[in-house]
Amino acid sequence: MSLAMAGGVSVAAQATAHASPGTATVKAAADSCAYPYVCLFKNGVKIGQFKDVTSTWQNLPSRPSGPNLVIQNTRRDDVAHIRWSTGTTTCIAPQRSFTVSGGTLTGIRISSSATC
């Protein structure tokens, strides 16, 4: 497991999210997350990175939450799944980013599947 987490993150009340590939925060994330990582950014600061394909969830000890949380998947043909505190999941396609506007994440899993 490749993991680098830093700092505590506040908890949001509701799990809501949206993709927003055109924002400055997403661009900053893409510029500082190298292949083959899936990186997490809070307010433009990298708080975690993962690179191992796993069949099980990797827990996020800091339980990051939105707003201003971006997940950047730099992998070329692997999807990344994120798990919310509610138990629901979201799939992030290869070479895409996902902006979390609210809600708390509890896990991440990188899959060798090329599509969500």
Side-chain angles (χ1 to χ4, degrees), residues 9-67:
V9 181
S10 64
V11 176
Q14 176 131 5
T16 58
H18 65 281
S20 58
T23 67
T25 305
V26 171
K27 171 129 177 53
D31 290 345
S32 61
C33 186
Y35 172 83
Y37 288 97
V38 176
C39 301
L40 284 76
F41 295 87
K42 179 70 176 181
N43 296 318
V45 176
K46 188 187 305 181
I47 61 168
Q49 64 181 21
F50 300 81
K51 75 172 186 177
D52 296 340
V53 172
T54 61
S55 59
T56 59
W57 290 99
Q58 298 178 70
N59 289 322
L60 301 175
S62 69
R63 298 179 59 92
S65 61

Side-chain angles (χ1 to χ4, degrees), residues 2 13 16 20 27 47-48 53 59 70 77 81 85 90-91 98 104 107:
S2 297
T16 58
S20 58
K27 171 129 177 53
I47 61 168
V53 172
N59 289 322
V70 175
D77 51 11
H81 299 273
S85 60
T90 300
C91 182
F98 185 80
T104 302

